[in-house]
Amino acid sequence: MNLRDSLRLALTTIRAHKLRSALTTLGVMIGVMTVIGMLSFIDGLNSMVSNQLAALGTNTLYVQKLPWTMARLDIDELRKRRNITIGDADAIRSSVTYAKYIAPMLSSPQSVRFRGNELTGVELVGTVPEYQLIVDIGITSGRQILDIDLNQQRMVAMIGATIARELFAERDPIGQMLAIGSRHFSVVGVLEEKGTAFGSDRDNIIIIPITSYIHYFSGPITTQSTESVNILVQPQNAEVIENLKGQITSIMRRRRGLVPNAPDDFAINTAEQLLNVYRSITSGVFALMIGVTSLSLVVGGIGIMNIMLVSVSERIKEIGIRKALGARRRDIRSQFLIEAVTLSCAGGIAGMLLGFLVAFAASAITNFPVAVSFGAVLLGFGFSVFVGVFFGWFPSSRAAAMNPIEALRYE
């Protein structure tokens, strides 16, 4: 018997016992639906985290006082580190050869006001014009901060979309005077909307020249002052990142007078570090979640094995007649095995469709991201085939091993 005949016979048998077949596939359907739904959420979460970390700059290096990951490090000792200064940024700018852009920056939360309207917790960033190139800031109206603003400590500001919307409403912000703390700055530009990252509004931001920030908000930055400069360094390309790290490390160690065996008292952070930490934390959790949800597939597989054993018992005489007419053991085995796989795949396909529908419905209600990957579809179908083969093998082998004479005598 060829594959097409075996499949036709399997479908005929399934149609003859519609209710039993539907109940049998229910376990597989629920199992595949759970796995697919879980994978959709995991893929969506991974995609969201990767995209939001990309907003930090995939290749951008952040020279900072503290590392982003502090596992096994003494936090009290880290806090005693000397600050990063503007002088460090100048030394890096004048000495490295693999950097494309270098931008020192300072930031702090501030309250801002315009004609009786006030916003608190606004991120005030003091930086240089290169910062806008490193973080890829677009401008919807007005202009960017220029070198002349920096050199003359001008009181000018670029504002984020949230500031423009909440404080100025329908009014054009360009040229308006905005109170930042107790100082008034002229709005020269409005930034493109960026959205949120890790629950933080990236449009709730104001950018001013770093010289103005130091003069009006922080005061001079020294190794022992309250604030530390963050230095953003963009490499010429991804291939020179390690060389650039080596150059920056050498410059910083030399400026700080560190002896050869002394550990670094500064950090060079990258978005890739955070992504690796995220992956290390979540990989085990995700594997456990998939393992637990896969148990429902085992339950569905047991149901298929049970119903196939019942089917074999009901069709003993049919097996004996087929063997008497020349059917080989592999013909009998393939007949029942294909029937088990067909049942499993029917439940698997229904489970995949329901899994995607449930995932997207839950996403629409909770605003949690989901993503449907081709790998998830293949995995769902592969699970279905595996369950059918694994749990259908024993009943089909049992049917194939029957003695035709005893089968024909069976009542």
Side-chain angles (χ1 to χ4, degrees), residues 86 104-108 110 124-129 143 145-158 178 180-186 188 206-221 227:
I86 296 294
M105 64 164 287
L106 291 160
S107 66
S108 63
Q110 297 287 338
L124 177 65
V125 174
T127 188
V128 298
R143 65 171 178 86
I145 290 175
L146 305 173
D147 287 330
I148 192 171
D149 301 322
L150 194 73
N151 297 333
Q152 297 183 7
Q153 297 182 15
R154 288 181 174 176
M155 300 177 73
V156 295
M158 297 190 301
L178 178 68
I180 306 175
S182 60
R183 304 290 179 173
H184 287 79
F185 283 70
S186 174
V188 297
I206 297 175
I207 300 176
I208 65 174
I210 194 169
T211 50
S212 303
Y213 184 101
I214 293 172
H215 184 76
Y216 296 109
F217 296 98
S218 69
I221 304 298
E227 291 193 56

Side-chain angles (χ1 to χ4, degrees), residues 59-136:
N59 297 325
T60 303
L61 305 181
Y62 293 78
V63 184
Q64 296 175 304
K65 179 179 178 178
L66 302 176
W68 287 346
T69 57
M70 301 184 184
R72 302 187 183 92
L73 296 177
D74 190 330
I75 295 178
D76 291 333
E77 288 298 320
L78 290 174
R79 288 173 178 167
K80 295 177 183 177
R81 286 182 171 184
R82 290 171 287 177
N83 290 333
I84 308 293
T85 66
I86 296 294
D88 294 325
D90 293 336
I92 292 173
R93 181 183 288 108
S94 63
S95 301
V96 297
T97 58
Y98 295 105
K100 186 176 182 181
Y101 301 117
I102 298 171
M105 64 164 287
L106 291 160
S107 66
S108 63
Q110 297 287 338
S111 62
V112 297
R113 299 181 309 281
F114 178 76
R115 296 190 176 181
N117 296 322
E118 183 176 7
L119 288 177
T120 58
V122 175
E123 182 185 9
L124 177 65
V125 174
T127 188
V128 298
E130 288 81 2
Y131 174 83
Q132 300 153 102
L133 301 174
I134 294 175
V135 299
D136 191 25

